Structure formats: structure tokens, C-alpha cells
Amino acid sequence: LAAAAAEAEGYRAAAVARQAAAARETEAAQMAAIEAAASAAPTMDSISGGSDRRSERTSPASPDRSGSPASSASSLPPCEEAGWTRESLAEAVAAWQADGRSVASMGHVPPGARLLLSPSLLGQLCEAVPPTARFRPWSLAFSTDVNGCSLQTLFRRLDGHTQSVLLVRDESGALFGAYLSEPLRPGPRYFGTGESFLFSARRPADPEPRLVAFRWTRANTHFAHADTHGVSFGSPDCGLALDASLEAGSSRASRTYGNQPLAGSPDFMCVKLEVWSLGR
């Protein structure tokens, strides 16, 4: 009996070892796939180095092209206090296309909507997102101004949308957000790929948007998480998080993205949230 028990224990130990080895191989394959996807995304150098290229294309990328008034002494330029329109974005896209520049097209935007997304920021985000998303139509899938502060409405309106850009303005006037390479959906696990990134678009003192992207550091794969309590990006401290009311949020340095705090303060009030869908 003792010999039989020892033999059975040996079989169990061998089975556990095989399972552990299989799990390690699966995890290694997943990490390799994520790294391969991330390697195709533009690097921070390509974005920061692109500032000189953008200066050469001032006319299509600058808010001045669409009639933006000069900035005032307030934390936001008057045009951004009032909000941009679909028409101002469409005019900028048409100007870029006339100059021979391949850019994204404009999708559905509710009539009369006042937007956080400016022509300048649209141009910079088009350069930052992966090439596969760069030329997809941008549609306003959700806005707290249009759809209210409802997390469930946000989930419902993004159902079936594969890639999205979240754009947040806080009470200090800071503008920031996230690009998500997979559908934003509630669930028990983190999701996303190495193409996802966080970004700062404007600090309170900046007169114009200036995109700074924070990409995957490979420290972990906690790209995004969503449930009935809110949405978050990165860990162990969230690079960006919004609660279920979509009114209170936080932003701290995360290991996932290696980001600096994005908002005017670590804990902030969300004045406005927009979520843009990049095709379906």
C-alpha cells in the first residue's frame, strides 16, 4: 500500500509540474504577442520628434486654421470654453486632405455638440494611435454633455466599438485621456493590449494642446479594467480612473504606463468626458 501511495503521489506531482509548465508557456506566448503588437506602435521619440514636423504643417494642424481666437487670461481659451464643433473638425480634415495629407475622416457627431476634441488635438492623436486605427472615422460615441453621467450608458453606447479614445477635462482645465485598443467592457479581468496608452493633452497653463503619450512599460499587462464601480487604466496605482458617477477621478503614476499624473491634482473632478469611437 505504501508503495502504491508513493507511486500515485509521484503521478500527481508530475501532472502538477506539466500543468505549471504549460501555464508558463501560455503566459510567455501571450506576452510575446503583446510585445509584438506594441512594437508596431509609434514610440515616444516619434511623437515628440514629430513636433518639428507638425510645425511645418501649422496650417492644417493648428487651431488658428479653424478660426480659434487668441487665448485669454483664464485657464482655457474662449473657444475651448465654448467647445469645438463638428464643422470646425471637418474643415481641418478637409484642409489636411487638400494638402495631400492622409488623415482620419469624421464620423457621426450629434448636431450642435460642443466638443473637447480640437482640430490640433485630432491631428496629434492621429499620429499617436496605431497605423491600423489612424485612418478610421472618428465618431462621438459618448459625451457627458449629451448622454449624461451614467456609466451604464457609457458601456451600452460603446458595445461593439473595437477601439476608442477617452478625453477628460478636469476642474483645473487640464485635458488628458487614454487610447484603448480593445472594446471597453465591464468584467472581472484586465483587458487591452500593448498598443493602449495614456496621454496628457494640455496642462492648465498651456495655450494649445500638446500631446504627450505614455506607452506600455512592460511592467505588467494591467492595461484597463471596467466594472460597475468605474473604469481604470494601469496599476498598482491607476494612471487614470473614473468612478461610477463619471464625476470623480484620480490620476497617479502607474507602473503599467510609466506616466506622470495627468490631471491638475491626484484626485480631480471630471468637468466633461468624451469617448470617441475609431470605427467598429
Side-chain angles (χ1 to χ4, degrees):
L1 290 177
E7 184 178 1
E9 182 63 27
Y11 287 140
R12 284 194 294 269
V16 169
R18 287 195 298 271
Q19 291 174 351
R24 288 193 297 270
E25 290 178 1
T26 300
E27 183 178 1
Q30 291 174 342
M31 288 295 293
I34 291 172
E35 291 185 2
S39 64
T43 63
M44 276 296 298
D45 291 340
S46 69
I47 294 175
S48 59
S51 59
D52 293 335
R53 293 191 296 275
R54 284 194 296 273
S55 66
E56 296 170 2
R57 296 192 298 263
T58 301
S59 56
S62 169
D64 292 338
R65 178 65 178 246
S66 59
S68 164
S71 61
S72 67
S74 64
S75 60
L76 290 173
C79 57
E80 300 209 14
E81 289 284 8
W84 299 91
T85 64
R86 186 189 190 284
E87 288 71 26
S88 61
L89 293 179
E91 289 174 4
V93 170
W96 298 337
Q97 292 173 341
D99 287 344
R101 180 181 173 191
S102 298
V103 294
S105 59
M106 293 308 302
H108 174 72
V109 177
R114 312 301 294 186
L115 309 173
L116 293 176
L117 185 66
S118 69
S120 174
L121 183 54
L122 173 62
Q124 294 176 59
L125 282 168
C126 283
E127 293 183 3
V129 299
T132 55
R134 191 165 298 167
F135 308 116
R136 295 189 175 198
W138 286 56
S139 299
L140 185 63
F142 178 88
S143 168
T144 49
D145 279 0
V146 176
N147 307 110
C149 296
S150 169
L151 184 61
Q152 293 304 315
T153 301
L154 171 62
F155 290 151
R156 185 173 65 253
R157 292 191 60 83
L158 286 177
D159 185 34
H161 294 266
T162 57
Q163 302 177 61
S164 57
V165 171
L166 282 74
L167 195 56
V168 179
R169 192 179 82 189
D170 70 7
E171 74 277 18
S172 75
L175 194 62
F176 50 92
Y179 164 75
L180 187 56
S181 58
E182 287 190 350
L184 179 61
R185 58 185 184 274
R189 296 182 177 84
Y190 284 94
F191 59 93
T193 72
E195 292 179 321
S196 302
F197 61 85
L198 299 179
F199 62 85
S200 171
R202 189 188 56 240
R203 309 302 295 178
D206 294 342
E208 293 185 3
R210 184 179 67 85
L211 188 74
V212 178
F214 299 95
R215 300 190 179 276
W216 182 39
T217 63
R218 294 173 171 77
N220 58 50
T221 56
H222 298 169
F223 303 112
H225 186 271
D227 57 24
T228 57
H229 301 291
V231 297
S232 62
F233 300 84
S235 77
D237 291 326
C238 296
L240 173 60
L242 291 169
D243 71 0
S245 72
L246 302 182
E247 295 178 339
S250 64
S251 178
R252 292 171 170 80
S254 75
R255 290 185 61 199
T256 311
Y257 295 104
N259 63 286
Q260 303 169 1
L262 306 175
S265 60
D267 298 300
F268 64 87
M269 295 301 296
C270 175
V271 174
K272 186 172 181 177
L273 167 68
E274 288 179 0
V275 183
W276 290 83
S277 167
L278 279 59
R280 277 184 175 268

